[in-house]
Amino acid sequence: MELEVRHLRALCAIADAGSLHKAARQLGVSQPSLTTQLRRIENSLGAELFARERSGCRPTPVGRAVLSRARPLLAEMSALVAEAKSAAARASGPRLRIGSTASRALPGWLGRLRRRLPGTDISLHVDVSPNSLLKMVAAGQLDVAFVHEVEGCPLVLPEGLCVRVLVEREPQFVSMARHHPAADAAVVELADLADDRWIVDPSVDGEWEGVRRVLFAAGIDPPLLHGDYHTAAALIAVGEAVAPCQPTSDPRGDMAIRPLRGDPLAVRLLLCSRAGAQEVADGAYLDLAEAYREVAAGAVAYRQWLRRHGSPLLAVPAA
C-alpha cells in the first residue's frame, strides 16, 4: 500500500485528538473504519505508530518521526489547494468562505452577509471543533471563523490570525426535561442536578474538560455520558440526562433551558481571520454582532438573564 495524503491526514488527526474515537468524529468516519485504516498504514510501514492506552492513543517514537514529516507535507498541500482555489475565485468572481461552530446566529449572519455583499459566493463550513476551524483559516481554506472558547480550556491559535471578541463571557445554561423538578426554578442550583447524568460531546474542544472541572469544583461527581447533539436531545427530553447548552438555544416543548446559579460554565465567542483580511473580517464581525443580538433578544431565558445583568446587548447596537 502506498501512503496517500488522506493517510497522513488521518495520522495527524489521531495525534491531535488523542484518541481514535475523537479523530473519527473529526474526520467524519466511523471508529472501526479509522482503526482499520491505521492498522493498514502501520502494516505498510512495518511499525506501530501509536501506543493504545486506556486514556487514548499516544505516538510511539516511530510515530513521532512520521508525524514530524507528515505535518509540513499536509501544510504544503493545503497551501497548494488554497492558492489554486483562490486563483480560481479571483477569475470567477468574489467569494467569502466562512466557518462556524453551531450557533443560532448563523441564519441571521448569512442573511446579512448576502445582503451586504450581493454577487459574492458565500459558503459555510460548520464543525464541532473550534481548533479545526482555526487551522482551516490559517491554511487559507476559510476566510473567517466564528468559534467559541470554553472557559479554562484555551484554544490553540495558529500564528498569523487576527482575533475579534464578540462576547467576552457567554454563560452556558443547562437543558433538562420539562418535568424535571429543577425546571420550576428561574435559576438552577448545581446541587439540584447532582443526581442527574450529564451528557457532553467529547468531540467539542474543551466541553468535556470544562464541565468536569465545574462539577468537581462544586463537589459533584455525577455519571458523564458521551453523545452528539441529537442523542443528547432525545435523552434529555425523557429525563435520562441533563446537558450544558448555549443560552440562545430554542428549547423543544418537552425540554426546559435554565441558567445556573453563579454562571460557573461559560465560553468566549470569537471571530478569527487571517492577517491582511481586516476589511472582510470587519464587515463580517458587524453582521455577526447584529445577528447575535437578534437571537439573544429572542431567547426568553437569555433575555431575562441579560436584563438581570444589565447587559448592553439589549440596549446598545453592537459596534
Side-chain angles (χ1 to χ4, degrees):
M1 183 187 80
E2 291 187 359
L3 284 183
E4 302 174 11
V5 172
R6 63 189 178 92
H7 298 140
L8 301 182
R9 187 173 291 113
L11 294 178
C12 290
I14 296 170
D16 293 339
S19 77
L20 286 164
H21 172 73
K22 290 183 180 179
R25 290 289 299 276
Q26 293 176 10
L27 293 169
V29 301
S30 67
Q31 182 173 334
S33 174
L34 183 59
T35 300
T36 300
Q37 186 178 63
L38 175 59
R39 188 178 302 113
R40 288 174 179 169
I41 295 171
E42 291 179 326
N43 289 339
S44 175
L45 296 177
E48 185 179 58
L49 302 181
F50 290 92
R52 281 70 156 180
E53 302 172 345
R54 292 187 62 183
S55 58
C57 291
R58 178 173 51 83
T60 63
V62 175
R64 288 195 294 271
V66 171
L67 288 166
S68 69
R69 298 295 298 272
R71 293 187 190 280
L73 288 173
L74 286 175
E76 285 296 321
M77 181 59 71
S78 295
L80 183 153
V81 172
E83 289 171 9
K85 289 184 176 180
S86 179
R90 287 193 296 271
S92 60
R95 68 172 178 168
L96 176 62
R97 301 160 301 170
I98 65 175
S100 179
T101 49
S103 171
R104 288 192 65 229
L106 280 178
W109 188 26
L110 283 172
R112 286 170 171 81
L113 286 169
R114 296 192 192 283
R115 289 191 293 272
R116 186 171 58 81
L117 301 170
T120 299
D121 179 15
I122 300 175
S123 62
L124 171 65
H125 177 86
V126 178
D127 197 309
V128 297
S129 169
N131 282 314
S132 294
L133 291 170
L134 295 180
K135 290 177 183 177
M136 293 181 70
V137 175
Q141 298 169 317
L142 294 173
D143 297 306
V144 295
F146 175 38
V147 300
H148 68 274
E149 180 181 63
V150 176
E151 193 169 68
C153 304
L155 297 174
V156 180
L157 289 173
E159 292 184 11
L161 291 195
C162 293
V163 178
R164 292 167 174 79
V165 179
L166 180 71
V167 177
E168 184 62 43
R169 193 174 193 273
E170 180 194 71
Q172 297 300 279
F173 289 2
V174 64
S175 180
M176 65 191 74
R178 177 64 64 180
H179 62 267
H180 194 292
D184 293 333
V187 179
V188 175
E189 305 284 348
L190 262 180
D192 293 336
L193 307 175
D195 295 329
D196 288 283
R197 300 178 184 88
W198 286 69
I199 184 166
V200 295
D201 187 342
S203 61
V204 178
D205 299 330
E207 181 172 289
W208 184 31
E209 294 84 352
V211 170
R212 187 170 53 181
R213 175 180 57 82
V214 167
L215 294 176
F216 180 79
I220 299 173
D221 186 24
L224 285 177
L225 309 178
H226 292 168
D228 59 18
Y229 169 79
H230 296 290
T231 302
L235 292 176
I236 292 167
V238 296
E240 285 295 322
V242 299
C245 67
Q246 298 175 13
T248 53
S249 298
D250 189 14
R252 303 179 349 180
D254 50 5
M255 292 164 58
I257 292 176
R258 299 288 184 268
L260 289 167
R261 179 78 63 190
D263 307 310
L265 284 168
V267 301
R268 191 166 62 136
L269 302 182
L270 310 170
L271 184 71
C272 302
S273 61
R274 284 184 297 163
Q278 287 88 344
E279 185 175 349
V280 170
D282 286 344
Y285 177 86
L286 292 175
D287 290 335
L288 175 59
E290 291 179 5
Y292 182 84
R293 279 169 47 81
E294 184 175 66
V295 297
V300 176
Y302 193 24
R303 184 173 67 243
Q304 293 171 347
W305 184 95
L306 292 169
R307 285 175 176 167
R308 287 197 302 271
H309 290 78
S311 172
L313 274 173
L314 296 180
V316 181

